[in-house]
């Protein structure tokens, strides 16, 4: 049965990548026009709909989405969204379903060029690019990022496992990035997020992609940063996220 499932995934994966490629190529000039002619708000909307379209592309594979949002935060406060990381397909659900919080991402520097739409948004949409081989550069960028979130009351997304979990089993959180953000955004809120099953889309790598995955995203109640000492808050957020990961 597993062999048949993998075989049937090949033609649908080809179809998926066709739609995926068309989407990111079409939205690249749309983003450019929105950003350069109409400013931040128009550019953000173009990115929102880019990610909605990418979710629809995943439907070609029979992917379904179960989204459970159990949070609300006051208006005009900075937010840190902390999530486990199972695949690259965690990005679009956060961007679309939490779009009212204006999520911006902490990404590796290699993604800042060469990918239509994706690289442009990372460079111009408020996200930051860090060099994992240069801890000093990463800290400097994180501090700048914190100031940006404070100033514009937007949300920063961090995947503290560092690298994606290829089997869904969570990795221990790296604390440096969380420590910096929590200390520099003391009047903000944390929103923990748990993903399940997105790793299955890349069970066999980038090709083929598995058919019929039920991707689950749970958005937990927000936590006020000022209510906890930093290390205790990191422990609490990690515990909340892991508690909903399927065993």
């Amino acid at each position: 049965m597993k062999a048949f499932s993998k075989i049937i995934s090949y033609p649908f994966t080809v179809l998926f990548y066709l739609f995926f490629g068309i989407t990111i190529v079409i939205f690249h000039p749309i983003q450019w026009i929105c950003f350069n002619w109409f400013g931040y708000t128009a550019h953000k909307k173009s990115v929102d709909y880019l990610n909605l379209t990418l979710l629809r592309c995943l439907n070609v594979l029979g992917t379904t989405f179960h989204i459970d949002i159990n949070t609300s935060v006051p208006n005009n406060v900075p937010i840190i969204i902390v999530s486990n990381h199972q695949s690259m397909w965690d990005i679009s659900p956060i961007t679309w379903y939490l779009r009212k919080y204006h999520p911006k991402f902490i990404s590796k520097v290699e993604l800042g060029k060469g990918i239509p739409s994706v690289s442009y948004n990372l460079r111009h949409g408020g996200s930051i690019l860090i060099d994992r081989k240069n801890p000093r550069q990463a800290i400097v960028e994180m501090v700048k990022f914190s100031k940006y979130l404070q100033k514009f009351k937007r949300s920063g997304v961090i995947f503290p496992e560092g690298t994606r979990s290829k089997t869904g089993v969570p990795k221990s959180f790296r604390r440096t990035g969380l420590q910096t953000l929590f200390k520099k955004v003391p009047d903000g809120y944390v929103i923990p997020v748990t993903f399940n099953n997105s790793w299955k889309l890349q069970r066999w790598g980038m090709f083929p992609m598995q058919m019929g995955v039920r991707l689950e995203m749970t958005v937990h109640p927000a936590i006020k940063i000022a209510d906890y000492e930093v290390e205790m808050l990191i422990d609490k957020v990690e515990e909340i996220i892991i508690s909903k990961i399927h065993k």
Side-chain angles (χ1 to χ4, degrees):
M1 188 65 181
K2 288 183 178 179
F4 177 76
S5 175
K6 187 172 183 179
I7 290 171
I8 200 172
S9 293
Y10 279 93
F12 284 95
T13 301
V14 171
L15 191 60
F16 162 77
Y17 277 120
L18 174 62
F19 288 137
F20 175 85
I22 291 172
T23 297
I24 61 174
V25 168
I26 288 176
F27 271 92
H28 190 90
I30 291 174
Q31 277 194 70
W32 188 93
I33 291 169
C34 288
F35 181 79
N36 288 283
W37 293 4
F38 302 105
Y40 172 82
T41 300
H43 178 243
K44 180 195 175 295
K45 285 189 179 296
S46 72
V47 172
D48 291 344
Y49 285 100
L50 161 66
N51 283 278
L52 174 62
T53 307
L54 293 177
L55 295 177
R56 298 291 77 83
C57 290
L58 286 171
N59 292 149
V60 172
L61 296 164
T63 306
T64 57
F65 301 92
H66 179 76
I67 311 298
D68 187 12
I69 299 178
N70 302 295
T71 196
S72 63
V73 295
N75 294 325
N76 297 317
V77 296
I79 298 168
I80 310 299
I81 297 171
V82 184
S83 175
N84 65 316
H85 198 19
Q86 295 190 345
S87 79
M88 61 184 288
W89 309 109
D90 302 332
I91 308 297
S92 291
I94 290 177
T95 304
W96 176 250
Y97 290 107
L98 298 180
R99 61 191 181 279
K100 71 177 182 179
Y101 301 123
H102 296 243
K104 313 300 176 187
F105 292 85
I106 300 168
S107 300
K108 57 185 180 181
V109 69
E110 292 84 357
L111 297 178
K113 53 186 176 181
I115 310 173
S117 286
V118 176
S119 298
Y120 188 87
N121 179 47
L122 289 175
R123 293 196 311 271
H124 299 285
S127 297
I128 61 168
L129 298 164
I130 61 173
D131 184 351
R132 293 177 178 176
K133 299 177 183 178
N134 187 343
R136 179 178 176 79
Q137 181 267 356
I139 292 297
V140 169
E141 289 299 314
M142 292 286 279
V143 172
K144 291 180 182 177
F145 191 48
S146 302
K147 293 178 179 178
Y148 170 86
L149 299 179
Q150 286 275 84
K151 179 178 180 180
F152 294 103
K153 311 303 181 188
R154 292 170 185 162
S155 65
V157 182
I158 182 170
F159 299 106
E161 290 168 287
T163 56
R164 299 189 293 266
S165 171
K166 296 180 180 179
T167 61
V169 178
K171 300 179 180 181
S172 297
F173 281 11
R174 298 181 181 181
R175 294 183 167 244
T176 304
L178 291 172
Q179 290 167 342
T180 301
L181 291 173
F182 291 167
K183 289 176 181 177
K184 298 296 183 180
V185 190
D187 57 334
Y189 284 73
V190 184
I191 298 179
V193 174
T194 301
F195 277 98
N196 279 295
N197 299 332
S198 72
W199 67 274
K200 293 180 180 179
L201 286 164
Q202 295 180 267
R203 183 195 296 270
W204 303 306
M206 296 297 290
F207 193 94
M209 292 176 63
Q210 183 169 322
M211 297 282 296
V213 172
R214 184 179 191 264
L215 191 153
E216 300 177 6
M217 172 178 149
T218 302
V219 182
H220 303 277
I223 305 168
K224 190 174 182 179
I225 292 175
D227 287 347
Y228 292 86
E229 185 268 334
V230 169
E231 296 302 324
M232 289 181 60
L233 180 57
I234 294 174
D235 290 338
K236 182 177 179 66
V237 170
E238 184 173 15
E239 180 182 345
I240 290 171
I241 292 170
I242 292 175
S243 71
K244 291 296 183 179
I245 296 177
H246 296 168
K247 306 300 182 184

